[in-house]
Amino acid sequence: MADDKSIAATRAKATARRAKRARGRKLDSEAAMIERRLAAAVRAGDEGPVLGRAKISYEMAERVSGVSHGGMGLIAQVVDHLGLAAAIDSGLDLLQAHRPYHESDHVLNIAYNTCCGGRHLDDIEARRNDRVFSDALGVASLPDPTTAGDFCRRFEPKDIWILQEAINTARLRAWAAQGPDFVAGTARIDVDATIVSTTGECKEGMDISYKGDWGYSALVVSLANTSEPLYLDLHGANRPSHEGAPEALDKAIALCRKAGFEDILLRGDTDYSMTTRLDRWNADGIRFVFGYDAMTPLVFRAGAIEETEYHALVAKADAARAKLLSETVGTAAVKKSRAKQPRVKDGIVASRGYKKITTTAEDVVELTYRPRAAKTDYRMIALRKNLTIEVGGQETLFDQYRYFFYITNDWNMTPDQVVGEARQRCNQENLHAQLKDMGALSAPVGTLVANHAYMIMASLAWSMKAWCALLLPVHPRWSAKHRAEADKLLRMEFHTFRAAFIDIACQIVRGARKIRWRIIAWNPWLRPFFRLADIL
């Protein structure tokens, strides 16, 4: 009996290997065909316009059924692999009865809607009425938009944090799959808030921002290493942007330490240099780099420092360009640079007599500073910008110094590195833009807590993209190529990710024990796609 099982297992492995080789040949063939087709297409267009020439007619397929979001099967596998549904159901208790949906079904329904390009709750209806999509996921039906909105309204403030902790349970499993090298580095935790505008007039908790926009203020705490949103807090748009930040940062610190990170760096702008918390974080071994308000005493101290104490700031981009130039000068790799295009904005500014402010120099100096609410001295890095002010394209009217300050408890970084860390934090604004573009930071429900819950569930789609990149296997033979693919996927914009990994035409074949998603369209990301599917 044991021998029969061993023989069957060996045959199954051999069959899987043959299928994998056949799939690889098919992918190579598709790539070669598209390359030949594109090369042959470059010719004289004597036959007239290319588009609009084909005679097209539509008909309904009789026996074949398919879906346009073929990558959702892979997303479902990632969710199952990380145990996300079980983590949500074990922590969240909002429903008195399951008829038939559980809490995880409602959460994933909203996240899947965002993955498929849905920007509103009503977009769920498209997937709900897609019989083949439901069959492909192995469900009888999906919750309708009204039920999804009702689920959001069931949340209490405590449930918000329970849901985020459940999601982070799955996140920890994705991080654990990276191996010891992942946590050996520094966990860079960024914090910033962004305004979520709304045109609604009856949404509870909304307020008017300093810019005059009505809506909410969404505080996002993210891990810069992977651009994942770890915690999200929500307030009225008129509240201070740092409200709730200390608690959210403490939770993020605990999460990163649970993952195994020993070195943690907090980064934020001037709104987050919370002087009452600096001593505690410093005593706890947490490093930080925060922007600091250019108060008059600080500006006076920086202005009184001798000019010889300042040194020119070497930006990261400048250093990278210098290194590249030193490596390529005198070799065949150096190519003639393309001529620079004229700056259109400068011409408009000059012709209309507008004021133009240009940074001509950046210098840094270091001093020691103790905030009023702190008991410890910290490093204060002063960045002095020399600004040239012109009006109407005329000669320089005058130069002006403007000071920027950064407070840190790291005594080993150079001043240039401190400024570099502060500037790299600005990349979190790209995360805000992505979450808004995909509809995750929006307010479709009527109350503050309900909208808070919706934002967390919709932004889960972005985390799913990150998890696909983190779980993408890297084979030793092709490690450089595979790591480059994983990094590109991790940094990819969400609409590009949807085109590569989600919006894939698939034929759905239902068997007695398995649902087969048969891909019938090719794109260059199918090799990483199948590599991930194989391990799941």
Side-chain angles (χ1 to χ4, degrees):
M1 187 67 178
D3 291 340
D4 292 341
K5 289 184 178 180
S6 177
I7 292 172
T10 302
R11 289 177 177 174
K13 290 181 180 179
T15 302
R17 284 196 296 269
R18 286 195 296 270
K20 194 172 181 179
R21 286 195 292 269
R23 186 181 68 202
R25 289 193 295 269
K26 175 64 176 174
L27 291 174
D28 290 340
S29 174
E30 289 286 347
M33 282 192 293
I34 192 64
E35 287 181 4
R36 290 195 299 268
R37 185 181 185 126
L38 294 176
V42 182
R43 55 187 174 80
D46 299 331
E47 301 174 359
V50 175
L51 297 177
R53 189 184 302 169
K55 295 181 179 180
I56 298 172
S57 64
Y58 286 97
E59 61 183 24
M60 288 294 294
E62 296 293 336
R63 301 179 62 182
V64 177
S65 59
V67 295
S68 58
H69 304 298
M72 289 308 300
L74 184 68
I75 296 296
Q77 287 181 309
V78 170
V79 168
D80 181 63
H81 180 77
L82 297 177
L84 176 59
I88 293 171
D89 288 333
S90 64
L92 206 57
D93 186 16
L94 299 178
L95 304 173
Q96 294 182 352
H98 302 130
R99 298 181 179 176
Y101 309 114
H102 289 240
E103 284 79 359
S104 61
D105 296 321
H106 289 284
V107 173
L108 294 176
N109 183 41
I110 292 175
Y112 285 1
N113 178 56
T114 306
C115 282
C116 293
R119 295 176 54 85
H120 310 282
L121 284 174
D122 287 340
D123 294 333
I124 294 174
E125 196 68 27
R127 254 69 61 191
R128 175 179 166 80
N129 288 302
D130 189 340
R131 173 184 57 82
V132 181
F133 186 79
S134 297
D135 288 344
L137 292 178
V139 299
S141 66
L142 297 172
D144 61 42
T146 303
T147 305
D150 176 71
F151 179 73
C152 293
R153 287 186 289 272
R154 288 175 178 267
F155 276 80
E156 298 291 338
K158 63 178 179 62
D159 300 317
I160 293 290
W161 299 101
I162 292 174
L163 174 59
Q164 295 191 88
E165 295 300 342
I167 293 172
N168 284 333
T169 299
R171 195 185 313 279
L172 287 173
R173 292 170 184 156
W175 291 355
Q178 306 310 297
D181 291 341
F182 180 75
V183 296
T186 300
R188 288 174 167 82
I189 300 176
D190 293 340
V191 56
D192 200 2
T194 183
I195 298 297
V196 179
S197 302
T198 176
T199 57
E201 297 186 4
C202 303
K203 295 186 182 294
E204 180 267 332
M206 73 175 185
D207 214 315
I208 188 168
S209 72
Y210 69 97
K211 293 183 178 180
D213 298 328
W214 286 91
Y216 300 98
S217 174
L219 177 77
V220 180
V221 176
S222 62
L223 182 70
N225 308 46
T226 59
S227 295
E228 293 176 85
L230 306 181
Y231 290 96
L232 192 151
D233 203 0
L234 195 67
H235 305 278
N238 74 322
R239 301 302 303 159
S241 62
H242 62 269
E243 186 168 332
E247 294 77 15
L249 285 171
D250 286 340
K251 290 179 180 293
I253 291 169
L255 178 69
C256 290
R257 282 190 164 163
K258 188 175 182 180
F261 286 100
E262 294 184 0
D263 184 31
I264 298 175
L265 176 64
L266 306 182
R267 307 189 302 191
D269 61 22
T270 57
D271 291 329
Y272 301 94
S273 53
M274 296 158 285
T275 56
T276 58
R277 308 289 179 128
L278 298 184
D279 285 349
R280 180 169 61 81
W281 284 330
N282 182 58
D284 198 25
I286 304 298
R287 297 190 297 137
F288 54 79
V289 174
F290 292 122
Y292 208 83
D293 288 330
M295 297 180 293
T296 302
L298 277 175
V299 174
F300 181 80
R301 283 185 61 186
I305 295 177
E306 293 291 335
E307 185 67 27
T308 56
E309 297 294 323
Y310 281 90
H311 71 268
L313 174 70
V314 180
K316 184 178 180 181
D318 295 336
R321 282 194 293 268
K323 180 180 179 182
L324 179 64
L325 186 63
S326 66
E327 293 174 350
T328 57
V329 166
T331 69
V334 180
K335 297 182 180 179
K336 185 177 180 180
S337 61
R338 182 182 300 179
K340 291 185 177 180
Q341 297 297 311
R343 294 183 176 272
V344 178
K345 289 183 179 180
D346 290 349
I348 295 175
V349 168
S351 65
R352 299 182 184 177
Y354 294 153
K355 181 189 294 185
K356 179 185 176 183
I357 302 176
T358 306
T359 301
T360 57
E362 291 183 314
D363 303 295
V364 292
V365 72
E366 177 180 340
L367 43 101
T368 302
Y369 182 74
R370 177 181 297 184
R372 182 176 300 177
K375 298 180 180 179
T376 305
D377 291 339
Y378 296 105
R379 293 177 74 193
M380 184 68 74
I381 306 301
L383 170 65
R384 186 184 67 185
K385 289 189 176 184
N386 188 357
L387 305 178
T388 299
I389 300 177
E390 303 175 359
V391 175
Q394 300 300 318
E395 294 184 2
T396 302
L397 298 182
F398 56 89
D399 289 345
Q400 175 182 312
Y401 285 138
R402 188 172 296 174
Y403 292 89
F404 299 83
F405 297 92
Y406 308 95
I407 189 169
T408 180
N409 63 340
D410 189 307
W411 298 87
N412 296 320
M413 285 194 294
T414 66
D416 295 33
Q417 290 173 330
V418 173
V419 176
E421 290 286 353
R423 288 180 168 177
Q424 289 172 32
R425 181 214 59 80
C426 297
N427 187 54
Q428 195 190 31
E429 295 181 5
N430 293 326
L431 174 60
H432 293 170
Q434 288 295 309
L435 293 176
K436 288 182 178 180
D437 184 62
M438 59 195 278
L441 292 186
S442 61
V445 206
T447 67
L448 184 144
V449 176
N451 282 314
H452 193 178
Y454 174 82
M455 292 180 193
I456 293 169
M457 290 183 278
S459 62
L460 178 56
W462 178 269
S463 292
M464 290 175 177
K465 178 190 81 76
W467 296 341
C468 287
L470 293 175
L471 295 176
L472 194 62
V474 176
H475 297 300
R477 183 178 179 184
W478 309 100
S479 60
K481 178 182 177 181
H482 289 179
R483 290 187 188 282
E485 288 174 343
D487 185 66
K488 186 175 181 179
L489 181 60
L490 188 64
R491 309 300 172 187
M492 187 179 286
E493 293 188 353
F494 194 77
H495 69 89
T496 308
F497 169 74
R498 281 211 336 265
F501 262 64
I502 302 295
D503 296 339
I504 304 173
C506 266
Q507 179 186 359
I508 305 302
V509 181
R510 296 194 66 183
R513 298 181 181 180
K514 184 179 291 186
I515 301 173
R516 296 183 180 274
W517 295 55
R518 185 172 293 163
I519 292 178
I520 56 176
W522 180 86
N523 75 58
W525 279 94
L526 283 185
R527 280 193 178 277
F529 183 96
F530 278 114
R531 201 162 72 243
L532 177 57
D534 286 341
I535 69 161
L536 297 177

